[in-house]
Amino acid sequence: MTRRSCRVPKPPRRFIEEGENALDVGAKEEEEGTGLPLIQLRMMALLSRLHLQDRSENKLTSAEFLQIKPTLKHEDELSESDLCSVYLHKLMMLDYRVRYIQAKPENTNVDEQNETDDFFYDTDDKSEQTNIHPLDLQMAVFHCSDSFLKQKMVTKLSQCQYALPLLVPDPFTGDIECPLWTFRQIQKTWKKSETKHIKTVTMKSMSICKAETQMVLCFRLGSLSGSKSQIINTLIHDRYDTFFHRNCPGSSKKRLLLDGVAEIAWYCPSGKPTDSFSDCVAFCNLHGDGLTHHKQLQILMDKASVNVVFVPTLDRNHKSAAVIKHLLESPTPLIVLVENSGHGVIKLKKGKYKVGLKDRSQSDVSEELRRIIGDIISGSWSKSFQLEYMSEPGLRVDEDVTSCKTSLSSAKEIMTIIDSVPVSDVKKTFLPCQGQLWHDWSRINKEWYRLKGNSEEDKCRKLSECKILREDQVKASSGDLMKAFIHHLSSLHQTEREFFLTWTQILLDDYATDKLSSILQKYDQTWSEVFDLKKLMEEKKSEDSDQKKTPDKELKSKQDELSKISQDLQSATCGLEHIFREMAQIYEAHKSLDKPPGRRPTDWSKYPELAAELMISGHPMELMDGDAGHVPLTWISGLIDQVIKKLGNKKVFVLSVLGIQSSGKSTMLNAMFGLQFAVSAGRCTRGAFMQLVKLSEDMKKEFQWDYILVVDTEGLRALELDGNKTIHHDNELATFVVGLGNMTLVNIFGENPSDMQDVLQIVVQAFMRMKKVRLSPSCVFVHQNVTDVSVTEKNMDGKRKLLEKLDKMVQLAAKEEVCDAESFSDIIEFDVQKDVKYFAQLWEGSPPMAPPNPGYSECVQDLKSFILEKAKKSPGVTLCEFKAKVADLWNALLNENFVFSFKNTLEIAVYRKLEVQYGNWTLALRSEMLKIEEKLYTRITNGELDRVELSLLYGEVWKKYDEIKLLTSKYFHSEVDKDMFIQWCVPHELKLKHFLEELVQELQRKLNNVIEQKKASKEVDERKTAFEKNLQQKSKQLALKLRNNLPDDQTLRKQFNVDWVKWVSELTRDIKPAEKINLEQDQIQAIQELGFEYDLIIKQKQSSYYKILAERGDYTEYVAKKRHQNIITNAWNKVSQFLSGRLPHEHQEQMKNLIKNVEEKALKEINGKPVAQRGYSSSYLSEMSFNVITSITEYESQWKYLLKKEFKVDLILFVFYRTQRWISDSHSQFIKNNDVRTYLESKKDEYYSVFRSFCRGSSSAVVLAELICEKLKSSMTEAVCKQTAIDIAGDMRCNVEAFKENRLNLEKHVLKSLAEKREFNRYIKYIRNPKAYTETFIREEVENLLCTKYKDKCHSFYKQKISNIQTQVLHALHEASETTKGNRGDINKWLQEFTRSMKGKLTFGTIDPQNFTDVKDFDFLKKEIEKGLNFISANLSVDKFQWFRLRPDQILIDMFLHQHHQRSYKC
């Protein structure tokens, strides 16, 4: 519809001039032929011009204007159809110039006339319509908006320090309405000054509806030549037009909707001497002639504390005389300003003043008015005004609509529940799931991810604790508050639900404000008392201790009281976000335990659906709980799933914001998108919140996504947190929101970005470490509160330095993490020329009366346009992808703990450097302790030491420790980074001292154990005779007892085991058991001492790839290129690597050789350690790992690549893995040789044989024969297998083609075998590790030969060896028997002779002859032993090969592959 087609019908008599009520006049006049009042016709015409003709019924909504729409046109290009949209958008951006926007005037067809005549011609009558009055635009939009958009409008007008509509005539019905609902979210803060004996200043902050203030009512009676509103403005603000007046831009006499409107504004003092008034004062201005708006005037006069009346003249015959007379008789103070009078202030009687305006300056009149009003309101007159009680007969209040009243009733029900307990118990009583239970769960969950060890038991215990906490949450989740809230949220329809949520937040804010004011007052008082007590203690320092006790106790009591008040402050801050958080925790607890859904409307499974509906309608939802520092993934997943269900899998552009606390992040987002994030310094955002902002249909064709998902975060460097906790929390939060966003606004207060630089360095390094999460972040720096208009040009050098520093830190981080990144933009997209923005300061002047700076709004608009322009190129992410990204990123953060504890990248690098140096110091101490151990072990062996005391060990090591302490002191104080080192100086000195104490105590324990074990072994040997006599006696007693009822073998063994446990316990009761070693823990400790993070070690260990490190075919992922290489070489390497996708072959071979050399060196090194003789020491692993790193460093210095930390850890773990079996076996041998219990356990079967034989009634000779045969059995088996293996290997070496000649011949047969088998996997194994494959070939060939060609020959060799050994034993038996009989010796002599004869042939343990003194018949003994030998020989099998290391295949492997192990074997 064109403007001409909706032209306002021409009034039949006259235009409505200022001073005449358009509604009253229009009510009497009708346009001919329409039957409608003229004012309605004019209103309809106005709405048509603004394209709002359909909006009187179908109201404008917030959702329509929160959409992202095309960039605003320049004001010179605006048409009347644009005015409404532009007005609302500028208002949402806090641009106070919104009140002065006008449409571009259209060209009118003017008849061509003589220019001179035309100049003198009055064209006023020819103009069919003029520009729309600014306040007509405001009121038209106001009338056409729904309740929630009206509330947003009025809240923003208040922030712009504009007057707000208090009484509004309905242009269609003429009813007077008070839009009380629109004031509900306005908070005002001021400082009240009082002077009694001393001046006191009290801060007040509250909802303006609750504020009790004095109201100054200003109105005129009749027409004035001057502006009433302009004079009132000077009382509130010297340089700012709070009320619109006739001299404002765009003003005209032709206005339609302003007359009869009463506007209100508040003066809020700042507590300074320059304040106009000492307390908050409301100024109410009735537009138009008060004589024609008697209904509004009557309502306002009843509420006013002071009446200020403007009249053209004081004449008894004037129509205003009756009203003036009434006001003079009223007790309410009155100030009459007379336009045609030139006198000054005349005080007529108490509270009644007359002031002339004629020929007087406005500033003089304003000063007099200010003084008079100040005197009146500070005097005894105390009538106060409260907005909440505006209801009057004949006055319509917008809150009286049914939906609003119903919702208020529901919200009051919520508050009744909250009011039932003290403020400090509200959260604990009604929101228990988000309290300690959730905080404990979050802590334990983080501990589970960051467990210091790989113990499944610890993991299970943590999971069990988490489950118990979830069960406790489920039990606590049935509170009255949540039941009522969910019931109302579910049962109310959409409009009522919006009213309900807004009312609940309003009432919660009022509740918190009431409680907080008293708590803060108490806090200030208690803090003053603590301060005074501290001063008192300082004064009493010189006095005796008895006098100090009382203030000391009192101080402690007051400090405890202060802590309690601080907790109450936290408890008192309760908003909708806490109720939504409780919903999240109830859902998470039930979901994690798979609880069945409840009954509606309290069904927990429906919570995400309710939250999704709210999120879609524009409510922010918590993404990260700032109090617990945790993301409720289960809840977020359920919430986003429901949003997808309702909207579809839409694409979103994620815009996050990051900045220091109270730097204006939320204010900027609110102004940019019309959002409602909490912005006051007293109630800053905690954690991270997300809110959907829709892209309008007009814009969708230009973008690849449908919504912007705005993520607002809490400020960094929060005062509530301190020390390392702040650093860790900030770094974790920053990494999360930057990683999550397609773009992050880095908000900086002022021009210095130093704080944010530190955080961004940690973010970048964390991203380098999160290799499993796909991230593509970008950032824009926004410097706020910059006053210099030329700052962009002046700061070019600053930008360059910023980029250089960021790039330098990235290079340092890349070196630490062995990552291919050289600039900040390699990790986070950033263009220093374009992505740095400067914002003007937010306020024009000093709050609380300062309006927003229009320059700030321009900056917000420019930034928004810049963001959208960049976002056009972004594909965004689907909601499903966003959900997965949140989970992946948060899980990665849970697994990452190291970098977040540092301030910046440089600090990490310096700390790692220190850790490496610390590893060198500890290694030096370990080496010294090994020397001391060797020295003392010799003395123990020689019997020179009966006990090792700590003093002895400290005396030995102290010289070395002093040397190392000197080195540490020199290191901490002479390094370039000594200022940074100083924070770790004392902790590392203490750490080194504790390390020494542990080493000394460990060595003392180890050496004393050796001494005790030697003593115990000697004692056992001394008590052995008595033990065996006792055993023999018990056996005989049991044999006699069971002679007639001999049990079976199983019962007999059971009986023996019972007695055996008793005997061993009795014999070893004073002896400590041998300590078990924990190789896995020592391995981790050894690697950590080299400066590697625990999480990295565990990650590499759990992957188990290190076990096959030597056999891997591709090591590309382990290397990174060095910087500053030759350009041509570097380019060629990049091309070849790109084409092949992997490291060049020769470099792969070099890596294999490195691994092989390091492994061989480590094996040789550990084989030289006396583990079997002296036991295991963790120092061996530390020494081994240090040598591995030394080898890697030497290798890297000569190579063109850098080896990543993952490779270094894997290589150390590989070496540990290869030496682990040898260490375990050697230490087991040490225990076997030295541990008494192990020794006795090895004798158990021997003693059982004796026991069993006696029980069965065997003679001593038979028992002795069985015992000797049992000892010979294992020795004979080993000797036969060993000799047979040697002979078979020798035979194969001579007769098998593959094993003839030399190693070259063997390799030829290996290749021939590969060709014959034609198995690809075998080729791969051979290529990757020829030596290992050759070993496999030898084993397979030998195994095949033993089963085929050598099967019979093997048995032949075996029988021959058995026969040879049996002959040797029989010969020894014969010699022992004959010699003993010839010398008339006893059994002791026989055993000595037999042992001597077997020496060098078979190993034969000692047998105590005391139990067999009754054996006299040596020939009978010989026959029994021969029987036993025949039985042993018959049962020996060639299958025993596998149980011994010296097998034929192993002998051949040693011969061909391990030259240093070769023996001389003859064909």
Side-chain angles (χ1 to χ4, degrees), residues 16 21-30 36-40:
I16 307 300
N21 187 352
L23 296 183
D24 288 348
V25 173
K28 299 171 186 173
E29 297 182 359
E30 294 182 357
L36 291 175
L38 184 60
I39 183 60
Q40 291 189 19

Side-chain angles (χ1 to χ4, degrees), residues 1153-1163 1188 1191 1211 1215:
N1153 290 333
L1154 170 66
I1155 295 165
K1156 177 184 173 183
N1157 294 336
V1158 168
E1159 177 193 2
E1160 289 178 354
K1161 186 178 177 181
L1163 287 168
V1188 172
S1191 299
L1211 184 54
V1215 167

Side-chain angles (χ1 to χ4, degrees), residues 928-929 931-933 935-936 939 945 948-961 996 1000 1003:
E928 186 67 19
M929 293 306 291
K931 293 177 185 176
I932 295 168
E933 179 184 346
K935 178 180 174 183
L936 295 180
R939 292 178 62 187
L945 276 177
V948 177
E949 299 293 343
L950 285 175
S951 55
L952 172 65
L953 295 176
Y954 278 120
E956 295 282 344
V957 79
W958 206 256
K959 183 180 177 183
K960 188 68 176 179
Y961 179 59
L996 176 67
V1000 169
L1003 183 57

Side-chain angles (χ1 to χ4, degrees), residues 304-315:
S305 305
V306 181
N307 287 312
V308 178
V309 186
F310 292 77
V311 293
T313 181
L314 277 179
D315 187 343

Side-chain angles (χ1 to χ4, degrees), residues 975-991:
E975 278 291 320
V976 178
D977 302 306
K978 62 182 179 182
D979 292 339
M980 202 171 290
F981 271 130
I982 201 68
Q983 62 181 306
W984 300 307
C985 180
V986 174
H988 272 72
E989 286 175 353
L990 290 172
K991 191 176 172 183

Side-chain angles (χ1 to χ4, degrees), residues 1086-1097:
I1087 302 175
Q1088 273 190 290
E1089 286 176 6
L1090 296 171
F1092 294 102
E1093 299 104 58
Y1094 173 84
D1095 292 338
L1096 174 64
I1097 300 167

Side-chain angles (χ1 to χ4, degrees), residues 861-1019:
Q861 179 59 50
D862 291 344
L863 179 60
K864 182 178 180 181
S865 301
F866 176 77
I867 292 168
L868 292 175
E869 193 60 36
K870 289 195 78 171
K872 283 181 182 178
K873 304 169 188 174
S874 171
V877 292
T878 64
L879 286 169
C880 280
E881 290 169 342
F882 174 73
K883 180 182 74 171
K885 194 174 184 180
V886 170
D888 291 345
L889 186 57
W890 181 244
N891 286 326
L893 286 170
L894 289 177
N895 283 296
E896 176 56 64
N897 193 34
F898 174 72
V899 298
F900 295 144
S901 302
F902 296 93
K903 187 178 178 184
N904 53 40
T905 297
L906 181 60
E907 201 171 87
I908 295 174
V910 170
Y911 183 81
R912 278 181 169 153
K913 185 179 173 185
L914 172 59
E915 284 295 286
V916 171
Q917 193 60 41
Y918 176 78
N920 294 335
W921 297 330
T922 57
L923 184 65
L925 281 176
R926 284 186 185 278
S927 301
E928 186 67 19
M929 293 306 291
L930 283 174
K931 293 177 185 176
I932 295 168
E933 179 184 346
E934 188 173 351
K935 178 180 174 183
L936 295 180
Y937 192 87
T938 306
R939 292 178 62 187
I940 290 169
T941 306
N942 295 335
E944 298 175 15
L945 276 177
D946 290 334
R947 178 156 187 84
V948 177
E949 299 293 343
L950 285 175
S951 55
L952 172 65
L953 295 176
Y954 278 120
E956 295 282 344
V957 79
W958 206 256
K959 183 180 177 183
K960 188 68 176 179
Y961 179 59
D962 282 342
E963 290 176 11
I964 292 172
K965 278 205 302 183
L966 195 62
L967 287 173
T968 59
S969 178
K970 187 177 177 183
Y971 184 80
F972 279 121
H973 293 91
S974 64
E975 278 291 320
V976 178
D977 302 306
K978 62 182 179 182
D979 292 339
M980 202 171 290
F981 271 130
I982 201 68
Q983 62 181 306
W984 300 307
C985 180
V986 174
H988 272 72
E989 286 175 353
L990 290 172
K991 191 176 172 183
L992 195 65
K993 183 181 177 184
H994 293 152
F995 177 77
L996 176 67
E997 290 171 356
E998 288 174 7
L999 277 183
V1000 169
Q1001 290 166 8
E1002 182 187 349
L1003 183 57
Q1004 182 199 30
R1005 191 164 53 248
K1006 181 178 178 180
L1007 293 176
N1008 283 334
N1009 276 346
V1010 171
I1011 294 170
E1012 285 180 20
Q1013 293 294 344
K1014 286 187 175 295
K1015 287 180 181 178
S1017 297
K1018 186 178 180 183
E1019 187 179 340

